[in-house]
Amino acid sequence: MSLLKVNNLTKNFGGLAAVSNVSLHLEKNELVGLIGPNGAGKTTLFNLLTGVYEPSEGDVLFEKEGKEERLNGIKPYKIANLGLGRTFQNIRLFKELSVLDNVLIAMTGKEKVGVLTGILRLPKYYQMEKKMENQARDLLAIFDLLDKEGEKAKNLSYGEQRRLEIVRALATDPSILFLDEPAAGMNPQETAELTELIKKIQREFDLTILLIEHDMSLVMDVCERIYVLEYGQLIAEGEPEEIKTNKRVIEAYLGGELTC
């Protein structure tokens, strides 16, 4: 049973099919790429998989404890609680809050205490609070952000904000991590560091990752399989070497060479 299975997924906006009849699957611990020209429907597909949009047709099925759960129509926060975490193409941090608080907010709902315990601030409440802070700091340390924990998120460099967004997604304890153009706006050095970081995340966090990215060198380096979208439709699937030489894929990239 696949960890995530997408069957004939379609999303219409008025008379436009932004995603049309897309089927794909993700297996446990895979690192899979999703590529395509601008406007191909990649982020729309991510939004369908994470509950931001509801499909017009088709199904999104998530394997949870040996059972398939249909995600259609489920709110994004409930999907996140099920184990699907994501980052966004445009960074969405709480800019005025501290780095640590950004991570702690993402962890809300992981640890639960009774209403009375929370209202009266009983010892169990403070134990839970301390545990979450320790977990948040452990994550920040992995991403070289621990020394920034007290700074406002808006004061981080662009690359650091990108890393913090990934930390925040990991703080939800996902089974699947959706990364939407994590290298966008990064310089070559930052992109190289991100490439190694993505490999580390998959290895150390026992995750399945689906990655949207325009940097083909990054995609070809880290991904085991790649799906290619054009005008909302899947036009290819395969291993990196297959995709690099696929004529339909090369044509989709404005008729030019798929540089990697």
Side-chain angles (χ1 to χ4, degrees):
M1 184 184 297
S2 299
L3 188 59
L4 188 78
K5 188 159 55 178
V6 177
N7 295 329
N8 308 116
L9 206 62
T10 295
K11 180 60 181 178
N12 298 316
F13 293 102
L16 173 67
V19 170
S20 180
N21 200 36
V22 168
S23 296
L24 57 82
H25 63 93
L26 299 176
E27 304 299 327
K28 186 173 174 57
N29 298 123
E30 272 196 308
L31 208 167
V32 178
L34 179 64
I35 68 172
N38 287 327
K42 302 182 296 296
T43 295
T44 299
L45 180 57
F46 260 34
N47 287 338
L48 289 167
L49 300 182
T50 56
V52 177
Y53 297 148
E54 186 171 354
S56 302
E57 298 175 24
D59 292 307
V60 181
L61 302 171
F62 176 57
E63 189 274 321
K64 184 77 171 178
E65 297 176 351
K67 296 181 181 179
E68 279 191 339
E69 181 154 358
R70 190 170 181 264
L71 301 185
N72 297 45
I74 297 179
K75 298 293 184 184
Y77 76 92
K78 291 185 177 179
I79 288 179
N81 287 339
L82 284 171
L84 284 76
R86 73 168 292 179
T87 66
F88 291 85
Q89 186 174 348
N90 299 313
I91 296 173
R92 298 188 183 184
L93 299 173
F94 296 102
K95 298 293 183 74
E96 295 295 331
L97 296 183
S98 72
V99 168
L100 181 62
D101 284 341
N102 266 272
V103 182
L104 290 173
I105 287 172
M107 298 173 79
T108 302
K110 279 183 61 181
E111 301 286 343
K112 298 185 184 297
V113 295
V115 174
L116 189 61
T117 299
I119 293 173
L120 299 178
R121 296 296 196 267
L122 297 177
K124 188 175 180 181
Y125 172 85
Y126 290 105
Q127 291 168 7
M128 178 206 70
E129 191 176 58
K130 186 65 176 176
K131 179 182 177 182
M132 288 175 61
E133 287 180 356
N134 288 338
Q135 289 174 340
R137 289 190 173 102
D138 286 343
L139 283 172
L140 290 172
I142 292 170
F143 287 77
D144 296 323
L145 290 171
L146 185 56
D147 61 337
K148 309 278 188 179
E149 68 168 81
E151 292 190 25
K152 288 185 177 181
K154 70 178 183 180
N155 294 331
L156 298 181
S157 70
Y158 184 83
E160 288 170 339
Q161 289 187 29
R162 280 286 179 191
R163 296 207 307 273
L164 178 56
E165 193 171 41
I166 295 174
V167 172
R168 197 172 60 171
L170 289 171
T172 65
D173 195 23
S175 301
I176 302 176
L177 179 62
F178 298 95
L179 298 176
D180 193 349
E181 295 194 31
M186 288 188 172
N187 61 42
Q189 177 61 33
E190 289 172 330
T191 299
E193 292 172 356
L194 177 67
T195 300
E196 294 308 310
L197 188 59
I198 291 172
K199 294 176 181 178
K200 182 178 180 180
I201 290 168
Q202 186 201 25
R203 183 174 65 250
E204 295 191 8
F205 288 86
D206 193 31
L207 282 174
T208 297
I209 297 175
L210 182 61
L211 168 74
I212 293 176
E213 187 50 66
H214 283 293
D215 189 314
M216 288 298 104
S217 61
L218 189 158
V219 171
M220 297 298 170
D221 190 4
V222 303
C223 293
E224 301 161 49
R225 286 192 302 121
I226 299 171
Y227 288 102
V228 187
L229 274 180
E230 183 186 26
Y231 299 119
Q233 296 182 319
L234 277 180
I235 61 169
E237 175 203 351
E239 296 179 359
E241 288 302 317
E242 296 176 84
I243 296 300
K244 277 200 277 191
T245 57
N246 186 299
K247 291 182 179 179
R248 179 79 185 276
V249 175
I250 294 170
E251 289 172 3
Y253 277 84
L254 304 179
E257 183 180 357
L258 186 62
T259 56
C260 305

